[in-house]
Amino acid sequence: MMDTWRLLPFDVRSAAWNMAVDEAILQARIAEKVPNTLRLYRWSPSAVSLGRNETVNERVYLQAAKQFGVDMVRRCSGGGTVYHDCDGEVTYSVVANTSALGRLDDVASVYFKIYAAVADALRLLGVSADFNNGDAKNCPNLTVGGKKISGSSQALSRGYVLQHGTLLRSVNLDRMFQLLKIDHLSSTQATAIGQQKITSITTELKHTISSDTIANALKQGFKAILKIQLQENPLTPFEEVIAEKLYKEKYSTKEWTLNGKLV
């Protein structure tokens, strides 16, 4: 008999709220208040998210973020700094017991299983992607012809995993590297290198595709690869309370965003 996971309605919210919700789901799952959950969402306004241990001044052009009206938030997960374009990506988050995805002692196996679902979604859209193991500086990701199309990061706690990741619908490399600092490279140099290392669904298909179409493909990919049913339900009141608290006391605060600490 297939497991049934919860599917949260496809949503567009602020950076701080998106990260508060992802962590609230993880806390609720650890407490066994909710089932394994797939969430699909977008960011408005566009945002930069920092990995748990990243240093803001080393990774973000703060003046550019202010100039472009781009939000900034620090994730509870590891990984690098990411630009989330309001129109250019669909983000997924998976919150589940690791035994449903891979082995607790093998983080790569969890990445591989989730990426297999994302790759199947891309296949449905007409794009063939490959799993890339990553390296010391980069989490595992999905590539097309050697160019990254999907990246993600994880938070692990008590046998449960939160993995959230991006799937690039389109990509504005100029804007991305006006915001993200790359070691020893100017924005122009980083953009030129990015053209050789990053791609998107629109680039690969040579035509645009809607975010809703991508979200629907992701649902199908997760159902097929994880062999699960999806039942759409909203956040529970338990999660809403946790998310509101995290939003106000953590993800909206300068202390957390800039320093990774809470007062």
Side-chain angles (χ1 to χ4, degrees), residues 79-81 111 115 132-141 148 151-152 197:
T81 304
Y111 274 111
Y115 274 133
N132 183 311
N133 282 309
D135 52 39
K137 287 189 173 182
N138 299 288
C139 298
N141 53 62
K148 184 176 178 179
S152 66
K197 293 192 171 184

Side-chain angles (χ1 to χ4, degrees), residues 16 18 28 43-45 50 57 73 79 84 89 100 102 112 117 132 150 164 181 191 196 199 208 213 225 248 254:
N18 278 333
W43 309 64
S44 183
L50 294 131
N57 288 325
V73 70
H84 306 276
E89 76 171 62
F112 183 81
N132 183 311
S150 178
H164 37 203
K181 290 184 179 179
T191 299
Q196 306 303 315
T199 190
T208 58
T213 299
I225 298 302
K248 290 175 184 174
K254 285 186 177 180

Side-chain angles (χ1 to χ4, degrees), residues 10 40-43 46-47 49 81-92 115 118-119 121-122 125-127 129 141-144 146-152 164-177 180 194-215 217-218:
F10 190 28
L40 303 173
Y41 57 95
R42 289 169 46 211
W43 309 64
S46 298
S49 74
T81 304
V82 182
Y83 171 57
H84 306 276
D85 188 83
C86 179
D87 296 316
E89 76 171 62
V90 173
T91 306
Y92 69 84
Y115 274 133
V118 178
L122 284 166
L125 296 170
V127 177
N141 53 62
L142 281 183
T143 56
V144 178
K147 296 183 177 182
K148 184 176 178 179
I149 196 168
S150 178
S152 66
H164 37 203
T166 64
L167 184 53
L168 292 177
R169 173 176 172 264
S170 60
V171 60
N172 183 337
L173 293 171
D174 285 335
R175 176 58 53 88
M176 180 183 290
F177 292 112
L180 305 185
Q195 289 170 348
Q196 306 303 315
K197 293 192 171 184
I198 300 170
T199 190
S200 70
I201 294 170
T202 298
T203 300
E204 295 302 320
L205 293 181
K206 297 179 174 55
H207 63 79
T208 58
I209 193 165
S210 74
S211 295
D212 285 336
T213 299
I214 294 168
L218 282 165

Side-chain angles (χ1 to χ4, degrees), residues 13 29 37 68 84 106 219:
R13 299 296 293 265
R29 186 67 190 92
T37 296
F68 296 133
H84 306 276
D106 182 10
K219 294 172 197 175

